[in-house]
Amino acid sequence: MTTYVWDYLPEYATERKDILDAVETVFGSGQLVLGKSVRGFEEEYAAWHGVRHCTGVDNGTNALKLALQALGVGPGDEVITVSNTAAPTVLAIDATGATPVFVDVRESDFLIDTDQVAAAITPRTKALLPVHLYGQCADMAPLTRLAEQHGLKILEDCAQAHGASHHGRLAGTMGDAAAFSFYPTKVLGAYGDGGAVITDDPDTDARLRRLRYYGMEKTYYVVETPGHNSRLDEVHAEILRRKLTRLDAYIEGRRAIARRYEEGLADLTGPGGLLLPATNPGNEHVYYVYVVRHPRRDEIIEALKSHDIALNISYPWPVHTMTGFQHLGYERGALPVTERLAGEIFSLPMYPSLPPETQDRVIGALREVLTAL
Ligand SMILES: *Cc1c(COP(=O)(O)O)cnc(C)c1O
């Protein structure tokens, strides 16, 4: 049987009764859209973060888009972010009519190089969009300082960072708003698509609620600012409520898997060879993906295929090199660290229900392949 980087079936096998009970609860409730489960999840997710507001939406991409719009971002504005991210981060900026502006990431942690942000700010800059990539928070203090100096909004892309923390503060509680995805692979995942935006600001939240519901306050009401249909489904909200009670355990499970990789691979690491993820001081990592680095990445992935192990790369193509973003005008070489990483990184299997014997098989195969290189 092929081993993949992610699989939900072992988790479903242990949680099946609870998941099906959630489905039954919603289907029998008499209210299939924006009912008790969405409201309940929003309250519980806000409380989990210690913030005042949460609005559930249909996916993480739209969480980012609606949050940007709720923060006042639109055509003519610029939003500073990274190219070393999932394409949706950038698609969301594009969908508001604003222009994405990229800065490079740091070689040490693959996160936004905060030293490059000041030079990217122009009179049109409206917001900073740091991505807490792979489950580790970007450095927020320099960004907060710049935002205050230049009157910018900060939207945190938390799609990979549920429960991650930075100097004692949870991901999503350090900016003006934060967008989450509940795509099934994420640290908190639904059984389909879902997303949410959290914020402490009641006006931002009120705008978000209208934006996800055609631009209306309530059913058959007036559209003041044209909005979208971006509602979170009741059934996913109810499943997420159940899974939220286990989020701490999921994160612990991911950390235990990360420790097992460290123990099993540490002696093979070194400069110019295998590099394991580093956690910055003050950060608590949630390991959404376990991204390692090796200059001979492609050979390693190929060799592991004969061990029935299929690995992923997050992400093989930096967003600024994609065909659909050529109009932004970034040449190859514009973001050297991002481009170099894209050729060297790869992800090892990581999900809380990964069976230890499967992980040990991956470690064993990787050891064999690395020793034979
Ligand atoms: C998954 C992800 C998104 C998009 O979320 P969807 O729910 O798939 O729309 C956005 N940003 C990052 C960094 C992601 O990993």
Side-chain angles (χ1 to χ4, degrees):
M1 226 178 61
T2 307
T3 299
Y4 296 97
V5 290
W6 180 80
D7 181 4
Y8 74 93
L9 288 173
E11 181 178 288
Y12 183 55
T14 58
E15 299 187 356
R16 185 169 175 273
K17 266 188 74 181
D18 190 40
I19 301 299
L20 294 182
D21 184 67
V23 174
E24 177 71 32
T25 299
V26 171
F27 286 8
S29 73
Q31 207 177 358
L32 296 174
V33 174
L34 294 187
K36 273 202 201 97
S37 296
V38 168
R39 194 59 246 166
F41 174 69
E42 289 172 343
E43 280 165 13
E44 288 151 16
Y45 202 59
W48 197 87
H49 287 90
V51 300
R52 289 164 72 189
H53 304 283
C54 170
T55 295
V57 297
D58 52 351
N59 57 61
T61 310
N62 286 338
L64 288 161
K65 181 181 80 176
L66 270 57
L68 287 168
Q69 291 179 327
L71 293 172
V73 173
D77 296 331
E78 292 174 355
V79 177
I80 297 174
T81 192
V82 288
S83 172
N84 183 39
T85 183
T89 308
V90 184
L91 289 167
I93 299 171
D94 187 70
T96 67
T99 303
V101 172
F102 298 120
V103 296
D104 212 348
V105 293
R106 297 188 295 216
E107 195 90 42
S108 59
D109 56 15
F110 314 166
L111 298 166
I112 186 166
D113 185 346
T114 51
D115 289 341
Q116 298 189 21
V117 175
I121 294 174
T122 76
R124 296 161 86 106
T125 309
K126 185 87 183 200
L128 307 178
L129 207 176
V131 181
H132 301 318
L133 196 72
Y134 306 149
Q136 168 163 230
C137 290
D139 272 353
M140 293 303 289
L143 299 181
T144 308
R145 216 161 29 240
L146 285 169
E148 278 167 10
Q149 275 166 18
H150 298 269
L152 310 175
K153 301 290 186 186
I154 296 182
L155 173 63
E156 301 175 66
D157 184 339
C158 293
Q160 306 192 353
H162 317 64
S165 71
H166 184 61
H167 300 288
R169 296 185 65 177
L170 280 173
T173 65
M174 297 176 281
D176 295 285
F180 289 86
S181 163
F182 306 120
Y183 183 72
T185 63
K186 308 289 184 180
V187 177
L188 179 62
Y191 277 65
D193 282 305
V197 182
I198 65 173
T199 180
D200 257 330
D201 179 46
D203 297 330
T204 302
D205 188 64
R207 282 192 290 276
L208 278 162
R209 286 177 181 279
R210 284 194 296 270
L211 282 166
R212 77 157 172 200
Y213 194 70
Y214 315 120
M216 292 179 183
E217 296 282 347
K218 53 184 193 261
T219 311
Y220 302 135
Y221 204 60
V222 289
V223 171
E224 282 175 24
T225 309
H228 313 277
N229 177 356
S230 280
R231 299 179 290 242
L232 175 63
D233 267 320
E234 279 288 286
V235 73
H236 295 302
E238 187 59 32
I239 290 170
L240 287 165
R241 294 179 80 176
R242 313 292 178 98
K243 291 190 70 174
L244 182 59
T245 64
R246 298 187 281 272
L247 179 53
D248 288 316
Y250 297 144
I251 292 170
E252 257 329 296
R254 287 174 180 274
R255 289 183 180 145
I257 290 164
R259 283 195 296 275
R260 204 178 181 94
Y261 277 131
E262 275 157 38
E263 283 157 19
L265 296 167
D267 61 309
L268 294 180
T269 63
L274 183 72
L275 294 176
L276 302 182
T279 305
N280 294 330
N283 272 353
E284 289 195 273
H285 209 306
V286 294
Y287 301 102
Y288 163 58
V289 275
Y290 193 82
V291 175
V292 302
R293 181 174 178 183
H294 196 290
R296 295 169 72 182
R297 184 264 317 268
D298 293 339
E299 291 165 73
I300 296 169
I301 290 188
E302 200 46 46
L304 284 169
K305 281 186 192 156
S306 57
H307 291 263
D308 254 345
I309 297 169
L311 298 185
N312 268 14
I313 301 167
S314 299
Y315 297 92
W317 297 284
V319 180
H320 71 284
T321 66
M322 292 181 179
T323 319
F325 290 110
Q326 288 318 291
H327 62 281
L328 297 175
Y330 289 84
E331 308 276 334
R332 276 216 174 253
L335 303 168
V337 179
T338 297
E339 290 168 37
R340 193 156 57 238
L341 287 176
E344 299 189 359
I345 54 177
F346 60 109
S347 310
L348 303 182
M350 170 58 83
Y351 50 96
S353 58
L354 175 67
E357 53 284 4
T358 307
Q359 187 180 5
D360 288 343
R361 204 174 72 75
V362 172
I363 292 172
L366 186 56
R367 292 190 64 88
E368 205 180 303
V369 167
L370 288 171
T371 330
L373 269 188

